[in-house]
């Protein structure tokens, strides 16, 4: 199955969106080359100030002295370029090894201060956590997926943080007939038993963090290759095990990404990284041999390009892509002849972005350029890849986001007016000429705003599987018969605790940006509680980078806000991809400020239309969305009551000036290269750390992960230290650094819910809504 392309191809700082992002790591190696001073971190004396005269929270009404926050020392670090001098007094907080005692001590004191300020909310936080956890059916199974002679699925167990990977043999009644949307996996004593292939709970026992980034079944279903991260730094070890016994097959592959695919039953193809943790090499590994003898299939030497890897739906080919933010070209490997190596499928042409797949005697190519910016789909014969035939043309109002191939069908995932669409096309028989397609059949969806994504499907069947969700509809898996149009719900995530979707209203509204552009906003609230008179509390979320589409989807923990009268809204601002490629282009590089002003315009719209007031408006964003939060806090701190910035990318200019930092070189096409004067001064004008002012700020919570490979913990740490020094208010400013996590926070499912409860408790505290 071909994963959604805009999700699979995220070699960037904007994590937290999906667990199929490319996995990198970070062990930063040197200070900025533009520094005029670079004192060793260990040379600084410790001068922290942290008073704990009273550990009681202010909302208990019993404090004598409020606890004082840590005051990070100032060590002048001068950076000069283009005649511009910047002084970073907190540059010393960057410790590439994450082992400097003084830095760790400071982070621990920040955590202690956060705990002290939030101590009075612990009972409420615990109540939120139990409430959120109580909505989950802890012992559950995913929708079984038929693959070959098996049903594959994941199982969760009561009280356990992690999943089990399971399978069952198909019963004889199903094994000899084609798949149907009405098929179910029989259970019980008279049917094939369940087999647990791998139990994450067992694997995670000796680790504070545990994540499996890839789980790949061999073509003959006898083995499994999986990629394991036990630190959160997104450096993976790839293991191969016997699917029945669990016994290790050969030695593990170390220091890899999570990109791994089977090349037949006896070999793997995988990707590794260079010294700045850029995916740069793809390897062929034969089972039973040592990693040192693996053959390098391709080495990408251009530092602005990164590699990724995926298998065709037909499983006959593996595709290796090398991409920058604007250019992508592809190689193919014939699985039956891995020794033949890679062959060029789409050549490297600057500004041309191609994604590929295979069916029958043709390759299918999704192609984008400045001319056909919303993409077109073409096909070419296997034996003449330069002879292309247009199947679906470029359209200015419709963006082609992804394609999924079956033996008899092509499924195209599109976007129009900001909403996702799924279009099914019937293909001629294999061997017949492929020409322009007849009109496709659209899959119907009911909610006014929603999210839909491809799910794993069988290439040889006529059954399309997709996942669907909305702000009031829990994640749902459907099987859609592409021949008849019949759709069958196979699984909807249960929500316990009396959840009733009919109590909630979802809406789409449009705000007007400063340049007249209409910005879509997705909204949900509980209709029997919300008054819509300006007094309701509201949480506004935003992202707006990397062409990522933040489609409105369900989150069970969010009900703890909605059921207490909150309105939840998403501003689909420029820099994302919701409204097509131009929407992204108009929110990046020298147009990046549109992202921030769009968000501010959306906030103002919600206030003007009585969804909330400034005194009730809270905002939230993660990673590149944390950059958004930092920027708008500097620009319009008066507009918000409280803000949450998760693992925020806030030291934009300093980071992007340092090519030794992972992701920097590949992201010059996203943010700009500040070694060029025009980009330097533009980025400086919005980079949150560089724009902290002596002014009042709202209540703020900022989080970080010590082992974060995408946004180093020191960026939010410096932002907090500078805010503490310069802000002129007495509002809460909290910093929480997880020592056992990376960019996506903790790994356990209940641990993640605990973080939601903590964040919500902070928001309620900021709004003075915690019940006595």
């Amino acid at each position: 199955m071909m994963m959604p392309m805009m999700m699979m191809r995220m070699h960037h700082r904007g994590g937290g969106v999906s667990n199929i992002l490319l996995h990198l790591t970070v062990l930063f190696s040197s200070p900025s080359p533009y520094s005029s001073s670079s004192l060793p971190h260990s040379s600084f004396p410790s001068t922290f100030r942290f008073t704990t005269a009273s550990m009681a929270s202010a909302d208990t009404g019993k404090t004598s002295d409020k606890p004082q926050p840590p005051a990070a020392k100032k060590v002048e670090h001068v950076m000069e370029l283009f005649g511009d001098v910047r002084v970073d007094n907190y540059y010393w907080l960057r410790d590439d090894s994450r082992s400097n005692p003084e830095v760790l001590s400071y982070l621990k004191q920040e955590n202690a201060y956060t705990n002290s300020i939030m101590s009075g909310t612990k009972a409420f936080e615990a109540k939120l956590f139990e409430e959120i956890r109580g909505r989950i059916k802890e012992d559950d199974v995913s929708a079984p997926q038929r693959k070959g002679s098996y049903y594959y699925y994941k199982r969760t167990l009561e009280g356990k943080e992690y999943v089990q990977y399971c399978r069952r043999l198909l019963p004889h009644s199903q094994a000899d007939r084609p798949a149907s949307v009405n098929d179910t996996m029989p259970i019980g004593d008279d049917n094939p038993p369940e087999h647990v292939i791998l139990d994450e709970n067992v694997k995670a026992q000796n680790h504070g963090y545990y994540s499996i980034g890839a789980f790949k079944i061999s073509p003959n279903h006898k083995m499994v290759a999986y990629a394991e991260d036990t630190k959160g730094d997104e450096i993976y070890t790839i293991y191969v095990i016997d699917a029945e016994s669990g016994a290790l097959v050969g030695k593990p592959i170390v220091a890899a990404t999570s990109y791994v695919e089977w090349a037949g039953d006896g070999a793997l193809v995988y990707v590794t990284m260079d010294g700045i943790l850029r995916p740069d090499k793809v390897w062929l590994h034969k089972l039973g041999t040592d990693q040192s003898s693996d053959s390098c299939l391709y080495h990408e030497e251009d530092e602005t390009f990164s590699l990724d890897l995926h298998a065709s739906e037909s499983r006959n080919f593996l595709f290796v892509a090398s991409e920058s933010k604007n250019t992508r070209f592809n190689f193919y490997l014939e699985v039956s002849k891995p020794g033949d190596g890679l062959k060029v499928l789409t050549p490297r042409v600057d500004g041309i972005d191609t994604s590929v797949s295979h069916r029958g005697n043709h390759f299918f190519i999704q192609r984008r350029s400045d001319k056909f910016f919303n993409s077109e789909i073409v096909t070419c014969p296997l034996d003449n890849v330069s002879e292309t035939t247009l199947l679906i043309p470029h359209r200015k109002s419709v963006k082609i986001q992804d394609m999924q191939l079956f033996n008899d069908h092509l499924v195209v995932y599109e976007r129009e007016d900001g909403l996702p669409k799924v279009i099914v096309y019937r293909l001629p028989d294999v061997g017949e000429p492929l020409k322009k397609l007849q009109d496709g059949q659209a899959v119907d969806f009911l909610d006014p705003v929603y999210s839909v994504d491809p799910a794993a499907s069988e290439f040889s069947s006529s059954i399309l599987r997709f996942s669907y969700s909305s702000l009031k509809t829990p994640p749902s898996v459907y099987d859609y018969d592409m021949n008849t149009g019949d759709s069958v719900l196979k699984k909807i995530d249960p929500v316990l605790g009396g959840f009733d979707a009919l109590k909630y209203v979802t809406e789409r509204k449009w705000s007007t940006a400063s340049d007249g552009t209409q910005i879509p906003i997705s909204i949900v609230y509980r209709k029997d509680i919300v008054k819509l008179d300006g007094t309701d509390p509201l949480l506004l979320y935003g992202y707006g980078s990397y062409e990522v589409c933040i489609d409105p989807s369900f989150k069970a923990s969010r009900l703890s806000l909605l059921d207490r009268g909150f309105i939840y809204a998403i501003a689909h601002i420029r820099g994302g991809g919701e409204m097509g490629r131009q929407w992204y282009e108009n929110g990046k590089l020298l147009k990046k400020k549109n992202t921030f002003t769009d968000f501010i315009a959306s906030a103002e719209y919600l206030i003007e239309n009585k969804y909330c007031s400034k005194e009730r408006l809270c905002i939230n964003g993660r990673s590149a969305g944390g950059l958004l939060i930092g920027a708008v806090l500097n620009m319009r701190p008066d507009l918000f009551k409280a803000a949450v910035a998760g693992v925020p990318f806030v030291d934009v200019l300093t980071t992007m000036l340092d090519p030794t930092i992972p992701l920097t070189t590949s992201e010059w096409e996203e943010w700009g290269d500040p070694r060029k004067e025009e980009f330097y001064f533009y980025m400086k004008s919005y980079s949150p750390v560089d724009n902290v002012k002596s002014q009042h700020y709202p209540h703020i919570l900022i989080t970080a992960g010590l082992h974060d490979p995408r946004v180093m913990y020191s960026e939010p740490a410096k932002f907090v230290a500078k805010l503490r020094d310069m802000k002129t208010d007495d509002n809460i400013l909290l910093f929480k650094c997880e020592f056992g996590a990376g960019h996506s926070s903790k790994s356990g499912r209940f641990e993640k819910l605990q973080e939601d409860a903590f964040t919500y408790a902070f928001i309620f505290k900021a709004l003075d809504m915690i019940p006595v």
Side-chain angles (χ1 to χ4, degrees):
M1 167 248 176
M2 189 174 180
M3 296 305 296
M5 200 55 59
M6 288 312 301
M7 296 298 293
M8 186 178 68
R9 293 163 46 190
M10 284 188 208
H11 313 296
H12 57 60
R13 292 185 170 89
V17 179
S18 171
N19 63 359
I20 54 176
L21 304 180
L22 173 68
H23 300 290
L24 305 173
T25 187
V26 61
L27 292 172
F28 297 167
S29 57
S30 67
S32 169
Y34 303 99
S35 306
S36 60
S37 65
S38 54
L39 298 175
H41 298 152
S42 60
S43 66
F44 304 132
S46 179
T47 57
F48 306 129
R49 181 180 76 252
F50 180 50
T51 302
T52 56
S54 172
M55 299 302 284
S57 173
D59 54 22
T60 66
K62 298 180 181 180
T63 57
S64 55
D65 294 306
K66 293 177 67 174
Q68 296 300 306
K73 66 186 174 185
K74 294 181 180 180
V75 180
E76 187 178 89
H77 181 86
V78 179
M79 296 170 283
E80 183 175 355
L81 188 63
F82 302 121
D84 179 62
V85 176
R86 292 185 301 136
V87 177
D88 184 349
N89 290 320
Y90 306 106
Y91 187 85
W92 66 273
L93 283 169
R94 173 182 162 182
D95 170 32
D96 302 359
S97 69
R98 278 103 164 158
S99 62
N100 185 295
E102 294 167 294
V103 173
L104 295 177
S105 175
Y106 173 74
L107 296 177
K108 289 175 181 177
Q109 291 183 58
E110 283 285 3
N111 285 346
Y113 174 70
T114 294
N115 288 335
S116 71
I117 293 297
M118 296 295 289
S119 61
T121 69
K122 289 301 180 184
F124 181 65
E125 180 185 331
K127 179 179 180 180
L128 286 175
F129 174 68
E130 291 305 317
E131 180 178 293
I132 292 170
R133 182 168 177 170
R135 295 191 187 98
I136 296 175
K137 187 177 186 300
E138 295 190 13
D139 54 334
D140 202 8
V141 296
S142 63
Q145 175 63 42
R146 178 172 172 174
K147 295 180 182 179
S149 301
Y150 294 90
Y151 280 110
Y152 288 88
Y153 53 97
K154 295 179 183 179
R155 178 180 294 281
T156 54
L157 304 174
E158 185 173 356
K160 299 293 186 180
E161 291 278 4
Y162 300 96
V163 303
Q164 295 178 328
Y165 294 82
C166 307
R167 74 179 181 185
R168 291 177 187 263
L169 274 169
L170 264 68
H172 294 299
S173 60
Q174 294 183 13
D176 298 329
R177 60 179 173 80
S180 163
V181 292
N182 297 311
D183 286 344
T184 59
M185 180 180 71
I187 58 176
D189 296 338
D190 296 333
N191 292 290
E194 173 178 280
H195 173 64
V196 178
I197 302 172
L198 183 108
D199 189 339
E200 285 188 358
N201 298 289
V202 175
K203 295 290 184 180
Q205 283 179 351
N206 297 320
H207 304 287
Y209 180 96
Y210 191 83
S211 177
I212 289 181
F215 188 86
K216 305 287 184 175
I217 308 294
S218 65
N220 62 9
H221 296 267
K222 292 183 178 180
M223 291 173 289
V224 172
Y226 68 95
E228 177 186 87
D229 172 15
T230 59
K231 193 174 180 181
D233 59 6
E234 300 177 27
I235 294 180
Y236 287 85
T237 300
I238 299 171
Y239 298 90
V240 178
I241 59 171
D242 182 282
E244 282 298 317
S245 68
L248 191 64
V249 178
K251 296 180 180 179
I253 297 169
V254 300
T257 70
S258 63
Y259 282 148
V260 58
E261 297 286 354
W262 287 94
D265 294 314
L268 294 172
V269 174
Y270 65 97
V271 177
T272 60
M273 299 167 285
D274 65 6
I276 60 168
L277 308 170
R278 174 182 61 92
D280 72 319
K281 291 179 181 177
V282 59
W283 302 83
L284 177 66
H285 172 79
K286 295 182 180 179
L287 295 189
T289 64
D290 193 83
Q291 185 177 356
S292 61
S293 63
D294 292 350
S295 57
C296 183
L297 299 176
Y298 179 70
H299 178 201
E300 178 53 77
E301 298 181 356
D302 190 327
E303 63 181 3
T304 65
F305 280 72
S306 298
L307 299 181
D308 73 11
L309 166 73
H310 74 275
S312 66
E313 292 93 338
S314 67
R315 301 296 169 184
N316 291 336
F317 293 91
L318 300 183
F319 298 113
V320 173
S322 181
E323 63 175 352
S324 68
K325 291 294 182 291
N326 295 320
T327 302
R328 178 180 167 99
F329 58 101
N330 297 268
F331 304 90
Y332 67 91
L333 177 77
E334 193 168 355
V335 169
S336 63
K337 303 175 183 177
D340 289 354
L342 297 180
K343 298 178 182 178
V344 174
L345 175 48
T346 56
R348 173 172 174 169
V349 179
D350 287 348
I352 304 294
D353 182 314
T354 55
S355 304
V356 296
S357 198
H358 161 259
R359 176 256 193 188
N361 53 358
H362 287 85
F363 290 119
F364 285 66
I365 304 168
Q366 180 182 327
R367 185 165 61 184
R368 182 198 58 76
S369 73
D370 290 341
K371 183 179 179 181
F372 31 92
F373 52 84
N374 274 336
S375 296
E376 62 183 8
I377 293 179
V378 301
T379 186
C380 66
L382 300 185
D383 56 2
N384 188 358
V385 297
S386 62
E387 181 187 320
T388 60
T389 299
L390 180 65
L391 290 183
I392 301 177
H394 168 263
R395 292 152 290 170
K396 290 184 178 180
S397 62
V398 179
K399 173 187 175 182
I400 297 174
Q401 186 154 326
D402 197 7
M403 62 179 176
Q404 188 174 4
L405 274 167
F406 294 80
N407 195 51
D408 297 319
H409 296 88
L410 168 66
V411 180
V412 179
Y413 294 81
E414 301 179 345
R415 306 191 69 86
E416 187 171 16
D417 290 331
L419 292 177
K421 300 169 62 179
V422 180
I423 312 296
V424 178
Y425 296 90
R426 178 81 188 190
L427 294 174
D429 293 341
V430 172
E432 294 294 319
L434 268 174
K435 299 179 181 179
K436 186 175 181 179
L437 301 177
Q438 300 297 317
D439 290 341
Q441 174 67 42
V443 181
D444 294 327
F445 304 107
L446 297 178
D447 291 299
V449 290
Y450 56 87
S451 174
V452 60
D453 291 299
S457 303
E458 278 282 81
F459 174 77
S460 60
S461 78
S462 61
I463 308 302
L464 167 68
R465 173 163 287 191
F466 61 84
S467 60
Y468 175 84
S469 175
S470 80
L471 291 170
K472 67 173 186 177
T473 306
S476 309
V477 175
Y478 285 88
D479 279 354
Y480 177 85
D481 190 317
M482 293 182 285
N483 291 325
T484 67
D486 293 336
S487 183
V488 175
L489 176 64
K490 308 302 290 187
K491 166 81 175 178
I492 184 168
D493 284 1
V495 181
L496 308 181
F499 169 72
D500 180 1
L502 297 178
K503 293 180 179 179
Y504 304 89
V505 174
T506 58
E507 298 176 350
R508 165 181 272 201
K509 300 295 181 181
W510 300 80
S511 65
T512 303
S514 53
D515 61 0
T517 301
Q518 295 294 293
I519 312 299
I521 306 173
S522 298
I523 301 172
V524 63
Y525 55 87
R526 187 164 153 173
K527 60 185 178 182
D528 60 333
I529 298 178
V530 165
K531 299 176 288 295
L532 297 178
D533 61 358
T535 65
D536 301 304
L538 188 146
L539 179 59
L540 176 63
Y541 180 85
Y543 189 78
S545 291
Y546 301 110
E547 205 177 355
V548 171
C549 301
I550 305 298
D551 287 321
S553 58
F554 188 84
K555 186 175 182 180
S557 63
R558 193 185 297 138
L559 296 175
S560 290
L561 296 178
L562 300 180
D563 290 349
R564 288 175 171 82
F566 267 80
I567 299 170
Y568 180 80
I570 303 170
H572 303 285
I573 49 187
R574 281 175 286 185
E578 290 92 332
M579 297 286 286
R581 178 71 182 189
Q582 292 302 308
W583 198 252
Y584 166 57
E585 297 285 355
N586 288 328
K588 64 182 289 196
L589 298 175
L590 296 174
K591 298 180 180 179
K592 186 61 198 172
K593 289 183 183 178
N594 285 337
T595 301
F596 316 135
T597 55
D598 285 358
F599 189 82
I600 290 171
S602 299
E604 291 174 332
Y605 171 89
L606 293 166
I607 293 169
E608 291 166 4
N609 288 272
K610 304 296 184 182
Y611 284 93
C612 64
S613 65
K614 292 182 180 181
E615 292 71 28
R616 308 289 276 172
L617 176 55
C618 306
I619 57 175
N620 184 21
R622 284 183 58 86
S623 196
L627 161 62
L628 164 71
I629 300 303
V632 301
L633 283 175
N634 286 330
M635 295 167 68
R636 287 294 307 277
D638 62 298
L639 197 56
F640 316 107
K641 182 66 174 179
V644 178
V647 292
F649 175 41
V650 284
D651 198 14
V652 180
L653 186 55
T654 300
T655 293
M656 295 307 296
L657 278 170
D658 191 345
T660 69
I661 294 177
L663 299 176
T664 292
T665 57
S666 64
E667 296 207 346
W668 284 330
E669 290 182 350
E670 174 75 23
W671 310 103
D673 184 351
R675 298 175 304 175
K676 300 173 183 177
E677 185 171 359
E678 183 180 25
F679 286 108
Y680 174 92
F681 284 105
Y682 187 79
M683 293 167 72
K684 183 184 177 184
S685 72
Y686 70 76
S687 176
V689 166
D690 291 286
N691 286 278
V692 175
K693 304 177 183 69
S694 295
Q695 61 181 355
H696 280 28
Y697 284 86
H699 300 292
I700 301 172
L701 168 64
I702 295 176
T703 66
L706 184 63
H707 299 287
D708 190 338
R710 301 170 188 268
V711 178
M712 195 177 187
Y713 74 89
S714 56
E715 291 199 34
K718 288 198 289 183
F719 189 46
V720 169
K722 195 169 183 180
L723 281 168
R724 289 209 193 285
D725 181 54
M726 298 189 69
K727 75 188 189 81
T728 56
D729 58 85
D730 292 325
N731 289 327
I732 302 170
L733 171 59
L734 301 182
F735 182 44
K736 185 177 184 181
C737 182
E738 294 290 352
F739 277 58
H743 194 68
S744 298
S745 68
K746 294 182 178 180
S747 55
R749 58 174 176 155
F750 302 133
E751 291 176 319
K752 291 181 182 295
L753 299 182
Q754 188 70 64
E755 292 184 1
D756 285 344
F758 177 81
T759 300
Y760 293 169
F762 166 80
I763 292 172
F764 280 101
K765 179 180 176 66
L767 293 177
D768 196 23
M769 289 179 61
I770 296 180
V772 177

